[in-house]
């Protein structure tokens, strides 16, 4: 038996040796053939740059485009941008010029440079195109497809008509490069301007014996329309906050164990470029920015019964959409207490130099007394001299023009709400 096993091993070694010899002969013959036939026998490979370009084309992200006026930007605009971003990998946003807005809709409330600050700050936006045209012309559409590599043009389910009554997105639809998202219920720039006009009329006449119209705005009294005696109906806020919407706007991560948490609080009513810039500075001071949003009652008690224009949940969503904000406290207390600082592990409390009312800084009941005593309070120089009152003053100063603009827009909004049907979307 031992001899048989040895014979088997010897046979296996011989076969292995023979295979190696034959393989060597074949390999040698192949090399000799390549040498004799010259370099042309070697198949040419594409240049490395060409390979990279093909690879990039195969893996190129889907780029989507959405344009808008984004005048007095609110959470409805932000939700539209969030939905648009979900339809692609990169969202490019066109911000329409002041001249185009004036020609097609009436004078804008916020100038282009402020609107660009607002759009850039939305966390779902990857890049912007300033001075975009109001209508998607064939020339501009081709520019989007060739220069900006746009795959699809996005707009909401509400119609966007040019002054001559034609569809502003007709060419994109015809080209098969158009996608639609669901309009966010309960808010529009027209609605917000209307709220301010009503409050201004109420404050100037003081003819109402019932509760402030502002309180109706903040309470969300259905789809009520109030003409304030002017004959021009304005939709009162009917925003219905849901837990899912708050989750959609929220960030998924919390602070790390060693994070430097910065806290800033305020009303953040009619969220504007001044708010964005102070939040940007605050975020640069730490690893995590926590923003406290004061309640409607707190704001009314400190700034008058006509405030806030936007209710607590509306204001919270606008702040949550800002890329510099990590988390918000919905209904934050007026006073920053020791317990609150400990609970949220706050390292620094900040406040801007530009605000609606700075009188509290001189009061004995300073809401920042505790963080001041702890040595963790800091005032930040506000980059922009803009407040909520600034926006309201712009409306009042050009009251007639905005009234006409609203009357025209309200007719189309009413038609939209009367004829709208369910649109599946997030």
């Amino acid at each position: 038996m031992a001899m048989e096993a040895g014979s088997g091993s010897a046979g296996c070694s011989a076969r292995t040796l023979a295979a190696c010899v034959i393989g060597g002969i074949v390999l040698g013959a192949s090399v000799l053939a390549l040498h004799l036939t010259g370099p042309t026998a070697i198949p040419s490979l594409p240049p490395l740059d060409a390979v990279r370009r093909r690879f990039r084309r195969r893996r190129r992200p889907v780029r989507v485009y959405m344009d808008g006026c984004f005048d007095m930007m609110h959470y409805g605009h932000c939700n539209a941008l969030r939905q648009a971003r979900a339809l692609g990998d990169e969202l490019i946003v066109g911000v329409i010029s002041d001249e185009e807005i004036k020609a097609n809709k009436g004078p804008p409330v916020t100038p282009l440079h402020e609107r660009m600050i607002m759009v850039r700050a939305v966390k779902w936006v990857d890049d912007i195109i300033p001075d975009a045209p109001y209508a998607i012309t064939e020339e501009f559409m081709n520019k989007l497809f060739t220069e900006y590599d746009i795959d699809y043009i996005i707009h909401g389910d509400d119609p966007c008509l040019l002054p001559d009554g034609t569809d502003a997105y007709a060419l994109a639809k015809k080209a098969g490069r158009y996608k639609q998202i669901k309009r966010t219920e309960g808010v529009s720039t027209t609605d917000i301007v209307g709220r301010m006009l009503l409050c201004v009329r109420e404050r100037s006449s003081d003819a109402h014996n019932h509760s402030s119209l502002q309180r109706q705005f903040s309470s969300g009294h259905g789809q009520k329309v109030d003409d304030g005696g002017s004959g021009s109906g304005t939709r009162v806020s009917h925003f219905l906050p849901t837990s899912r919407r708050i989750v959609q706007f929220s960030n998924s991560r919390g602070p790390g164990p060693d994070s430097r948490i910065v806290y800033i609080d305020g009303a953040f009513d009619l969220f504007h470029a001044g708010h964005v810039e102070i939040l940007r500075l605050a975020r640069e001071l730490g690893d995590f920015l926590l923003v406290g949003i004061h309640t409607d009652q707190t704001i009314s008690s400190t700034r008058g019964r006509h405030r806030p224009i936007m209710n607590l949940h509306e204001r919270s969503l606008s702040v949550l959409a800002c890329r510099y904000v990590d988390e918000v406290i919905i209904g934050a207390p007026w006073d920053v207490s020791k317990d609150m600082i400990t609970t949220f592990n706050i390292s620094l409390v900040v406040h801007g130099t530009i605000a609606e009312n700075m009188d509290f800084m001189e009061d004995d009941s300073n809401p920042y007394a505790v963080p001041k005593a702890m040595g963790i309070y800091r005032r930040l120089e506000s980059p922009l001299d803009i407040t909520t009152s600034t926006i309201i003053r712009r409306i009042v100063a050009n009251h007639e023009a905005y009234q006409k603009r609203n009357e025209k827009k309200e007719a189309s909004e009413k038609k939209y709400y009367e004829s709208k049907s369910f649109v599946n979307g997030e």
Side-chain angles (χ1 to χ4, degrees):
M1 295 294 292
M3 286 181 63
E4 290 176 359
S7 299
S9 298
C12 181
S13 298
R15 285 194 298 271
T16 302
L17 180 61
C20 290
V21 171
I22 294 171
I25 293 171
V26 171
L27 180 61
S30 300
V31 172
L32 181 61
L34 288 172
H35 177 72
L36 292 175
T37 55
T40 54
I42 302 175
S44 60
L45 295 173
L48 186 58
D49 286 344
V51 173
R52 285 174 176 164
R53 280 197 299 272
R54 290 176 192 172
F55 184 68
R56 277 199 299 267
R57 276 200 297 270
R58 283 198 299 269
R59 296 194 60 222
R60 186 178 73 78
V62 175
R63 288 164 64 87
V64 296
Y65 172 82
M66 187 174 202
D67 61 11
C69 302
F70 304 105
D71 194 17
M72 293 181 58
M73 195 163 186
H74 49 70
Y75 66 92
H77 292 131
C78 297
N79 193 45
L81 295 173
R82 181 190 65 81
Q83 292 181 80
R85 181 63 168 72
L87 295 176
D89 302 305
E90 294 176 0
L91 172 61
I92 315 303
V93 179
V95 185
I96 296 170
S97 69
D98 294 343
E99 293 74 21
E100 286 275 273
I101 296 174
K102 189 174 182 179
N104 289 277
K105 298 180 70 173
V109 179
T110 48
L112 178 64
H113 72 276
E114 290 182 20
R115 291 184 285 117
M116 287 173 61
I117 289 173
M118 296 298 294
V119 175
R120 273 201 181 101
V122 177
K123 60 188 175 185
W124 299 290
V125 174
D126 295 291
D127 201 0
I128 66 172
I129 301 173
D131 288 316
Y134 190 81
I136 303 289
T137 62
E138 188 166 1
E139 180 185 1
F140 184 70
M141 185 172 70
N142 290 333
K143 185 176 181 179
L144 290 176
F145 296 157
T146 56
E147 291 187 27
Y148 294 98
D149 290 328
I150 299 299
D151 295 289
Y152 297 102
I153 295 170
I154 316 293
H155 191 259
D157 63 302
D158 54 317
C160 182
L161 303 179
L162 299 173
D164 62 2
T166 58
D167 185 356
Y169 296 91
L171 289 174
K173 292 175 181 178
K174 186 178 179 181
R177 306 281 286 271
Y178 176 84
K179 286 191 176 184
Q180 184 174 277
I181 58 169
K182 185 174 182 178
R183 170 176 166 151
T184 304
E185 300 295 335
V187 69
S188 69
T189 300
T190 305
D191 163 55
I192 296 170
V193 170
R195 298 189 204 185
M196 283 187 280
L197 292 175
L198 283 174
C199 286
V200 168
R201 284 197 295 268
E202 183 193 21
R203 185 168 54 191
S204 61
S205 65
D206 202 25
H208 299 286
N209 294 321
H210 53 75
S211 63
S212 168
L213 288 172
Q214 175 273 324
R215 297 188 188 283
Q216 295 179 38
F217 300 146
S218 296
S219 301
H221 284 218
Q223 295 187 21
K224 180 177 178 179
V225 173
D226 192 305
D227 65 8
S230 70
S232 173
T234 299
R235 186 176 304 280
V236 175
S237 173
H238 61 282
F239 172 57
L240 301 175
T242 64
S243 57
R244 183 173 63 166
R245 179 70 76 230
I246 293 172
V247 168
Q248 287 170 337
F249 273 54
S250 299
N251 294 331
S252 57
R253 69 175 187 87
D258 300 319
S259 293
R260 178 175 168 82
I261 300 173
V262 179
Y263 177 75
I264 185 171
D265 61 1
F268 298 100
D269 195 15
L270 297 179
F271 196 63
H272 52 70
H275 291 137
V276 167
E277 288 296 89
I278 198 67
L279 291 174
R280 177 180 61 80
L281 290 185
R283 182 62 175 79
E284 290 175 356
L285 297 175
D287 309 304
F288 193 91
L289 181 60
L290 176 64
V291 181
I293 316 292
H294 293 152
T295 66
D296 298 341
Q297 292 74 20
T298 296
I299 298 167
S300 293
S301 66
T302 57
R303 300 184 186 178
R305 68 191 185 99
H306 302 279
R307 302 287 188 88
I309 302 296
M310 310 288 283
N311 69 40
L312 175 61
H313 289 99
E314 292 176 310
R315 292 181 285 115
S316 297
L317 288 180
S318 291
V319 175
L320 271 174
C322 181
R323 67 172 70 249
Y324 310 119
V325 176
D326 294 291
E327 192 170 1
V328 304
I329 300 175
I330 303 174
W334 177 252
D335 294 301
V336 182
S337 65
K338 177 69 167 64
D339 179 67
M340 178 179 167
I341 291 170
T342 303
T343 298
F344 291 100
N345 195 28
I346 295 169
S347 304
L348 183 67
V349 176
V350 300
H351 194 278
T353 54
I354 302 295
E356 291 286 317
N357 180 7
M358 300 292 285
D359 294 343
F360 63 81
M361 302 298 292
E362 311 301 327
D363 295 343
D364 294 334
S365 57
N366 188 326
Y368 304 108
V370 171
K372 272 188 168 185
M374 296 174 64
I376 61 169
Y377 176 80
R378 180 173 170 183
R379 286 186 69 181
L380 298 181
E381 191 69 33
S382 299
L384 296 177
D385 186 10
I386 303 173
T387 65
T388 300
S389 293
T390 305
I391 308 298
I392 295 174
R393 280 195 297 269
R394 292 176 184 175
I395 296 291
V396 174
N398 207 0
H399 177 280
E400 217 171 283
Y402 291 123
Q403 187 69 54
K404 288 179 181 177
R405 166 179 158 173
N406 263 31
E407 286 171 0
K408 182 179 177 181
K409 186 66 177 172
E410 281 162 5
S412 63
E413 295 236 337
K414 183 179 179 182
K415 185 177 180 181
Y416 164 77
Y417 277 101
E418 287 175 348
S419 61
K420 77 168 188 173
S421 58
F422 175 74
V423 176
N424 187 28
E426 293 297 323

